[in-house]
Amino acid sequence: MKYTNLPHTDLKVSKICLGTMTWGNQNTEAEGHAQMDLAFEKGVNFFDTAELYPVPATAETQGRTSEIVGTWLKKTGNRDKLVIASKIAGPGDQTDYIDLYQLHWPERHTNMFGVRDYTHDVNDAWQDNFNEILHANLNNIIFQE
Amino acid sequence: MITIQNAYSLLNRVFEGDAAEISIREKMGLLAYSPMAFGVLSGKYVKGTAADNARLKLFPRFARYSSEQSTEATRQYLKLAEDNNMTLAQMSLAFVTQRPYITSNIIGATSLEQLEENIDSININISDSLLEQINTVHANIPNPAP
């Protein structure tokens, strides 16, 4: 594995980050645990998750992925060897902290998800709420498209 | 802000405009998601080898990477990978991991075999000549899945 620093921090993260969004729908808890075992064994120390996972996001399933990460952390005791990025919430009640806290996409309509070009909707109200976040001086925020 | 998480793959290099420059200058690393374009860049859909539980068979509404242009670009990248003795998955992932603005490449898998192949892409090198060939395909079919 190769590593780099999470920018502006002394946290060392693997250049491969383990995505988690299938666990709890396409994958079972046991399969998610097996994936974390394998990735950890291969030197991956960086996991990315989100409150709304697994995908597709539904009210019934949201949070399952975080629970699966949480039960693996509890079982293995590996929390302090990992850098965990989440979006809005973390792995249930089973980890005490999130290393990288990410803002899971701004509420706006732009040419993403395969859409080419931009068509402006004059009725789409613009609420610029980023300044408040930046002025609150929170670090480790990312903007996801 | 220390990182930005956007989709980035052979089929979507939109980040390489002003975002790539500011990412490097301000040291705001890209955490690339969907580096395999929902599995399209495994080549399994163009080869017709996708299993019944493959994501785009389960959830066809995830159509971001399923356009005609994406499919054609995938065919061309598949040929490049085969000509260079690597799997399309590994070429696709190594391409992403080695870009200078990447902090980390967010991979995912539903089987341990896929996961191992994806993680092992860390050992694949995209040579300058392969990069040039990739860029030729990209120039002909730029960002088919923005």
Side-chain angles (χ1 to χ4, degrees):
Chain A
M1 188 43 59
K2 294 172 184 160
Y3 299 88
T4 189
N5 272 31
L6 202 58
H8 308 281
T9 76
D10 55 8
L11 291 173
K12 194 178 73 163
V13 294
S14 48
K15 294 287 291 183
I16 298 282
C17 175
L18 183 62
T20 61
M21 72 180 190
T22 58
W23 309 344
N25 183 328
Q26 283 181 271
N27 287 118
T28 63
E29 179 175 35
E31 288 167 345
H33 284 195
Q35 288 193 23
M36 285 183 272
D37 286 338
L38 176 65
F40 186 73
E41 181 190 304
K42 284 183 164 285
V44 173
N45 76 335
F46 191 23
F47 295 176
D48 179 71
T49 188
E51 179 186 45
L52 65 74
Y53 290 166
V55 294
T58 68
E60 297 73 48
T61 57
Q62 73 88 20
R64 279 191 198 164
T65 302
S66 291
E67 285 168 23
I68 291 169
V69 175
T71 52
W72 183 83
L73 291 174
K74 199 170 186 181
K75 182 173 79 177
T76 60
N78 282 339
R79 180 64 190 90
D80 63 349
K81 301 180 191 75
L82 293 165
V83 175
I84 295 184
S86 190
K87 309 181 190 83
I88 306 305
D93 297 326
Q94 307 202 42
T95 187
D96 297 331
Y97 60 97
I98 295 296
D99 298 285
L100 179 65
Y101 205 55
Q102 308 176 96
L103 184 62
H104 208 170
W105 67 68
E107 182 60 37
R108 63 193 176 88
H109 304 284
T110 180
N111 57 336
M112 59 182 188
F113 297 125
V115 176
R116 221 173 252 294
D117 307 326
Y118 174 69
T119 306
H120 190 67
D121 176 359
V122 292
N123 297 314
D124 182 19
W126 170 249
Q127 188 183 351
D128 178 356
N129 54 8
F130 298 155
N131 286 335
E132 293 170 38
I133 294 171
L134 295 176
H135 291 153
N137 201 26
L138 289 176
N139 286 330
N140 300 6
I141 291 277
I142 75 146
F143 291 132
Q144 178 158 357
E145 65 171 19
Chain B
M1 298 219 303
I2 64 172
T3 53
I4 178 165
Q5 183 173 144
N6 276 9
Y8 181 72
S9 68
L10 286 175
L11 301 181
N12 176 7
R13 295 169 58 175
V14 171
F15 191 81
E16 292 177 49
D18 36 13
E21 182 195 357
I22 206 70
S23 163
I24 291 173
R25 291 192 189 278
E26 293 295 323
K27 297 186 173 58
M28 185 170 68
L30 175 60
L31 304 178
Y33 80 81
S34 293
M36 286 181 58
F38 275 2
V40 166
L41 287 172
S42 67
K44 64 188 174 186
Y45 298 102
V46 294
K47 286 191 283 193
T49 55
D52 288 342
N53 65 354
R55 186 177 305 154
L56 295 181
K57 291 198 173 181
L58 291 177
F59 312 120
R61 74 179 172 90
F62 288 162
R64 184 176 192 169
Y65 303 100
S66 304
S67 68
E68 200 180 299
Q69 293 83 356
S70 293
T71 303
E72 178 53 30
T74 301
R75 282 198 194 96
Q76 295 186 24
Y77 288 126
L78 175 63
K79 180 166 189 315
L80 263 189
E82 287 173 350
D83 288 349
N84 285 274
N85 301 312
M86 53 183 81
T87 66
L88 177 57
Q90 295 199 321
M91 184 179 88
S92 301
L93 291 173
F95 167 80
V96 170
T97 306
Q98 286 170 30
R99 295 313 97 206
Y101 29 80
I102 293 287
T103 288
S104 197
N105 182 4
I106 305 174
I107 57 126
T110 46
S111 75
L112 291 179
E113 292 73 22
Q114 291 170 345
L115 183 62
E116 187 158 29
E117 179 184 8
N118 294 352
I119 294 174
D120 289 347
S121 70
I122 196 72
N123 301 316
I124 300 284
N125 181 50
I126 303 292
S127 67
D128 289 347
S129 95
L130 177 53
L131 184 59
E132 207 171 292
Q133 298 170 73
I134 287 172
N135 286 340
T136 300
V137 176
H138 176 57
N140 290 329
I141 312 176
N143 302 318

